[in-house]
Amino acid sequence: MKKYDLLRLGDTIIRVLEAQGDRVLVIDCIKRTMPVWVEITALESYSECTSNELSEVTGVITADIDALDADQRKTMYERYTMIAPVLSFLTDDRMRSRLIGSAAEEYGVSKATVRNHLCLYLSYMDVTALAPKRREDERQLTQDEKNMRWALNKFFYTTKKQSLMTAYTMMLKEKYCDALGGLAEEYPSYYQFRYFYRKTRSLQNFYISRDGLKNYQRNNRPLTGEGVQEFAPAVGAGMFDATVCDIYLVNDTGSLVGRPILTACVDAYSGLCCGYSLSWEGGVYSLRGLMLNIIDDKVDWCNRFGISIHREDWDCDMLPASFITDMGSEYTSGTFEQIAELGVKVVNLPSYRPELKGLIEKFFDLIQESFKKHLKGKGVIEPDYQERGAHDYRKDACLTMADFEKIILHCIIYYNSQRIIENFPYTEDMIAAQVKPYASQIWNWGKSQIGANLIEIGKRELMLTLLPRTTGRFSRSGLKVNKLRYHREGYTEQYLSGGDVTVAYNPEDVSSVWVLEDGAYTEFTIIESRYQGKDLTAVQELQTSQRDIARGAVRDNLQAQINLAQHIETIVSSSAGRGDVHMKNIRSTRRREQTKRHRDYMKEGTSRE
C-alpha cells in the first residue's frame, strides 16, 4: 500500500493520502467527505483500483488541460490556489480547519465550498477535476431587483452613510411615484429590499464605500499574520516590485546615462529570486522582460554572460500562480491584469504599505549591499547623496549596463544559492530531508511538495497575453486596427459581415496583430507593405505627415479645378456657332479624317535621332 493508491471494496473507493505507523489517512472518493484516519487492518479486504474505474463509477472524467478553454483554466487554477495552503496540512486537523476558514473568508465563499474543492482534488489528484463545466447564462435580474441595486449604489454605498430605510424611501420616491409624487399601487416592501441587500452585500464594499479605502486598510482589512507558512504555505506566491539602483552608469563611449531600474520577482515562501529585469525603462516594458526571465532557463541565461551555474542553484522556469504587487500604475493597468487569463491570481496590496511585501523590499537591500561595498568610487551613491556639499557621484561613473548586469547576476546567484536563511520555519519533513538553509534548496524542496502552485507557460503565449489590446473591425477592405488594414486567409465571411473583435497588437512592430477568440490568438498580417517592420508611433507620424501634406494642397487643388473649368469654357465658346451638323455619310467622313490626321510614328522617331 503506497501513498495516493486507490483501493476498492464493492461500491466504495478510497484513496490513501498518508500513512503513519498502523494508521492511514484516507478519503472516500465516492461520497467525497473529508479525510479520516483508519486502522490499516481495516483495509485488508480492499483491492487495488484504477483511475478509470473511479471515473466510471462517479461519471467525472478528468480532461487534458489543453482541451479546456481560457475561462475553465482560469477557474481551475483559482480553485487550486484556494485549497493549495490546506494541502500541506492534511494530517493536522486543527490547522486544516483553520486554513479552510481563512480561505473561505479570503475568497468570500463558504467553508463547505472550500471543502468540496479540496475533497474533489484529493479524490482524483488531478487539477483538471477542479475545472467547471461550461458556464450557462446567469439569471437576469428583475426590474425590481435592478431598482434595488440602483438605490443601494446611489444612496446606501456612499460616504454620506445613509441608513437602509432612507435608501428604500429614496428608491420609492425616484422609481415608484408618478409625476405628482403619488406612490404606485405595486412596489417592493422594505423586507424585500432588506433581503436583497443582505443577499448581495459585500462587507468589503460596505466598509470601503462608506468609510473610504484608507480607513478600511487601517481598521477593517483582514489581518493574516506575519508567518511565512500562513502567508505563503508553499512555493508559488511571487512578490513583484522595482527600484532605482544606487549607482550611476555610462554608455560605451563613456557618456553618463543615469541610474538603471531593477525589477524583480521573489517567491514569498522560499525567498528565491524567480527572475529579474535590468533596464533603463520601467513600467510595463520592464515587466515584460521580467516575465520572460522568470520562465527562461537560468543555466542558458547565465551562459550568455559567461557565468556557469548548476541547475539546482536556480531551477525556476515557471510562473508563480499568485502575483503580489503594490498599487503601482504598471501593476494596476489593464495590460498587466490580463495575466489573470492564464490562471494567475493578482493581489494588489494597498498603497503605502511596503511591510506587506517586506521580502522583496529586503531583497533589494541585500542585493545593493552586496555590490555597493565593492564599487565605492565607481559611481555608487553614498548616504550623503544630495546633501549640501556632498560629492557628485555622477563623476565617478565608469561601469556600463553590460558590466553592471553581470555584477547583479552574480549577486542574485549568491542570494539564491549561498546566502544562509537563519530564521526560516523548518518543518519536520524539511529537517528529515536535510534541506540546507539556502533559498534555492528550500525552493527545490518546496517544488516537490503537494502544495506547490506553479504554472507552466510558453514564451509566445505569455507575451501575447501581456500585449496591449484594442478593438478591431472587420470590413471588405480587411481587419482595421489602429487605422491599419490586416488580412488572413479563411475570414471571407467576417470581412463581408463585419463586426468588432478584440485584438492584441505590438506597438513596436505593426507587421502583425492577433485576434483573441475563445482564449486563442490568431495572427493577421499587414496588407500595406510600406508599414512592414515599423513601430506604431512611426506609422502614426507618417500618416499624420501625409494628411498634413494633403491638407496643404487643398487650396492649390481648388484653384486648379477653377482654371480647368475656365479653359474648357474658353474652348467651347470659340467653337460655338458653326451651323447645323451634317449627319449623312458618316463613315466616309470618318475615313477622310483618319487619313488627314494619320501620322507615321516610326518616321518621326527616326528623324529625331
Side-chain angles (χ1 to χ4, degrees):
M1 183 184 302
K2 296 181 296 183
K3 194 174 181 180
Y4 306 137
D5 278 353
L6 283 173
L7 303 177
R8 182 171 185 174
L9 179 61
D11 294 333
T12 302
I13 299 178
I14 63 173
R15 184 183 294 276
V16 177
L17 301 177
E18 190 67 51
Q20 292 183 1
D22 57 351
R23 297 193 310 159
V24 290
L25 183 66
V26 299
I27 183 171
D28 190 323
C29 300
I30 306 300
K31 297 180 180 178
R32 290 204 284 272
T33 53
M34 291 297 289
V36 294
W37 289 98
V38 299
E39 297 294 332
I40 195 171
T41 56
L43 305 179
E44 292 178 352
S45 56
Y46 282 75
S47 60
E48 292 188 2
C49 176
T50 64
S51 299
N52 292 334
E53 293 180 45
L54 175 61
S55 298
E56 291 176 1
V57 173
T58 60
V60 177
I61 301 176
T62 56
D64 186 8
I65 291 182
D66 296 334
L68 303 176
D69 60 30
D71 290 337
Q72 287 177 306
R73 288 199 302 269
K74 176 183 176 182
T75 304
M76 176 184 70
Y77 284 120
E78 286 177 348
R79 290 175 176 177
Y80 185 77
T81 301
M82 184 189 303
I83 64 172
V86 187
L87 297 176
S88 301
F89 298 95
L90 291 176
T91 59
D92 189 339
D93 293 346
R94 295 184 61 186
M95 180 59 75
R96 184 177 69 195
S97 299
R98 179 182 175 186
L99 290 175
I100 289 174
S102 299
E105 183 177 355
E106 178 182 355
Y107 290 90
V109 298
S110 65
K111 294 181 181 179
T113 299
V114 180
R115 294 191 189 100
N116 289 338
H117 295 331
L118 177 63
C119 294
L120 183 61
Y121 174 76
L122 294 177
S123 297
Y124 295 92
M125 294 306 293
D126 190 339
V127 69
T128 58
L130 299 175
K133 296 181 179 179
R134 292 196 177 274
R135 184 175 54 189
E136 299 179 356
D137 294 337
E138 297 180 357
R139 183 184 70 86
Q140 297 294 325
L141 294 178
T142 64
Q143 187 58 46
D144 286 340
E145 289 174 330
K146 291 180 180 178
N147 292 339
M148 295 177 191
R149 182 180 61 185
W150 173 85
L152 288 171
N153 291 334
K154 186 172 180 62
F155 302 111
F156 185 75
Y157 293 119
T158 67
T159 54
K160 294 181 180 180
K161 300 182 181 180
Q162 302 279 16
S163 68
L164 200 63
M165 177 58 79
T166 301
Y168 172 71
T169 305
M170 296 301 294
M171 179 191 71
L172 296 181
K173 171 180 173 294
E174 297 292 337
K175 298 294 184 179
Y176 294 92
C177 290
D178 56 24
L180 300 178
L183 188 61
E185 292 293 333
E186 295 184 0
Y187 57 89
S189 68
Y190 173 71
Y191 300 102
Q192 290 175 305
F193 185 76
R194 186 177 64 181
Y195 173 78
F196 180 80
Y197 158 70
R198 290 176 177 175
K199 184 177 68 172
T200 61
R201 178 180 61 179
S202 166
L203 285 179
Q204 185 182 43
N205 182 40
F206 174 84
Y207 289 127
I208 294 175
S209 62
R210 294 172 69 89
D211 300 325
L213 179 60
K214 296 290 178 144
N215 185 79
Y216 168 77
Q217 293 173 347
R218 184 170 58 251
N219 299 320
N220 305 113
R221 64 183 177 86
L223 302 176
T224 57
E226 298 180 354
V228 63
Q229 289 187 334
E230 293 183 12
F231 184 75
V235 299
M239 293 183 171
F240 289 72
D241 206 354
T243 189
V244 180
C245 297
D246 293 340
I247 189 172
Y248 285 103
L249 302 179
V250 297
N251 59 14
D252 295 333
T253 63
S255 300
L256 182 69
V257 180
R259 298 164 62 182
I261 299 173
L262 177 62
T263 309
C265 169
V266 173
D267 179 61
Y269 177 79
S270 63
L272 181 92
C273 175
C274 300
Y276 78 98
S277 172
L278 189 67
S279 62
W280 297 115
E281 300 180 52
V284 177
Y285 173 83
S286 63
L287 282 177
R288 291 177 187 163
L290 172 61
M291 294 296 178
L292 282 176
N293 187 258
I294 291 175
I295 65 174
D296 205 346
D297 187 296
K298 301 306 188 297
V299 176
D300 294 340
W301 177 261
C302 292
N303 285 336
R304 300 178 195 175
F305 297 88
I307 302 173
S308 177
I309 64 171
H310 298 290
R311 183 169 298 278
E312 59 268 18
D313 293 337
W314 199 355
D315 189 13
C316 176
D317 56 3
M318 291 189 288
L319 282 181
S322 297
F323 286 4
I324 302 168
T325 68
D326 54 25
M327 294 297 290
S329 58
E330 65 270 29
Y331 303 114
T332 56
S333 67
T335 301
F336 180 74
E337 291 182 348
Q338 291 166 187
I339 197 72
E341 296 175 3
L342 302 176
V344 175
K345 176 187 176 185
V346 180
V347 180
N348 293 117
L349 299 176
S351 304
Y352 310 110
R353 299 298 304 274
E355 76 278 3
L356 296 180
K357 52 181 179 63
L359 205 61
I360 193 167
E361 301 289 349
K362 190 61 178 178
F363 165 79
F364 289 134
D365 291 341
L366 293 174
I367 292 297
Q368 302 214 77
E369 287 177 5
S370 299
F371 70 77
K372 286 175 72 172
K373 58 187 176 184
H374 300 291
L375 297 179
K376 290 184 181 293
K378 306 293 184 183
V380 166
I381 296 173
E382 299 292 347
D384 61 352
Y385 172 63
Q386 287 189 336
E387 290 186 6
R388 180 177 296 180
H391 177 67
D392 189 353
Y393 297 105
R394 295 176 297 179
K395 298 179 180 179
D396 300 334
C398 62
L399 295 176
T400 64
M401 176 68 91
D403 298 328
F404 184 62
E405 186 159 7
K406 292 180 182 179
I407 294 173
I408 286 291
L409 202 49
H410 279 291
C411 293
I412 292 176
I413 293 171
Y414 167 78
Y415 171 89
N416 282 342
S417 59
Q418 280 98 34
R419 182 183 64 93
I420 297 177
I421 304 177
E422 297 181 353
N423 298 322
F424 188 86
Y426 267 62
T427 64
E428 295 180 358
D429 292 338
M430 295 179 69
I431 295 174
Q434 293 294 303
V435 178
K436 295 182 179 180
Y438 304 139
S440 60
Q441 297 296 319
I442 297 173
W443 166 272
N444 293 338
W445 179 85
K447 281 176 58 178
S448 64
Q449 303 306 302
I450 191 173
N453 199 5
L454 300 170
I455 299 176
E456 187 173 359
I457 192 72
K459 291 184 179 180
R460 182 179 183 276
E461 185 177 358
L462 177 61
M463 284 298 98
L464 288 175
T465 304
L466 291 176
L467 286 179
R469 295 176 184 175
T470 187
T471 300
R473 178 178 290 274
F474 284 110
S475 68
R476 289 183 61 193
S477 56
L479 173 64
K480 293 185 177 180
V481 181
N482 295 326
K483 299 181 180 179
L484 298 173
R485 298 187 302 125
Y486 294 85
H487 172 64
R488 181 183 177 89
E489 295 293 338
Y491 278 77
T492 302
E493 289 299 322
Q494 287 84 342
Y495 296 146
L496 296 178
S497 60
D500 294 340
V501 68
T502 301
V503 179
Y505 66 95
N506 182 9
E508 299 173 3
D509 188 353
V510 300
S511 301
S512 298
V513 295
W514 294 265
V515 171
L516 182 59
E517 297 177 307
D518 299 327
Y521 293 88
T522 305
E523 184 176 4
F524 282 65
T525 56
I526 196 164
I527 295 175
E528 299 149 302
S529 58
R530 58 196 175 113
Y531 297 133
Q532 189 78 27
K534 289 184 170 58
D535 62 72
L536 184 59
T537 303
V539 170
Q540 291 174 342
E541 291 176 354
L542 185 61
Q543 291 175 335
T544 302
S545 301
Q546 181 177 344
R547 285 195 299 269
D548 292 342
I549 293 173
R551 196 177 294 115
V554 170
R555 182 181 179 84
D556 295 337
N557 177 261
L558 292 174
Q559 185 62 54
Q561 293 183 38
I562 294 172
N563 294 341
L564 175 62
Q566 291 175 345
H567 291 317
I568 294 174
E569 290 175 358
T570 302
I571 295 172
V572 171
S573 62
S574 64
S575 302
R578 290 181 177 176
D580 295 336
V581 178
H582 300 287
M583 303 295 292
K584 295 181 179 181
N585 301 322
I586 295 177
R587 292 183 180 178
S588 56
T589 303
R590 183 180 181 88
R591 283 195 295 271
R592 286 196 300 270
E593 291 301 320
Q594 286 179 346
T595 304
K596 185 188 301 184
R597 295 188 60 85
H598 184 76
R599 296 163 57 187
D600 187 349
Y601 292 113
M602 189 64 190
K603 183 184 295 184
E604 291 180 8
T606 306
S607 63
R608 289 177 182 177
E609 292 180 357

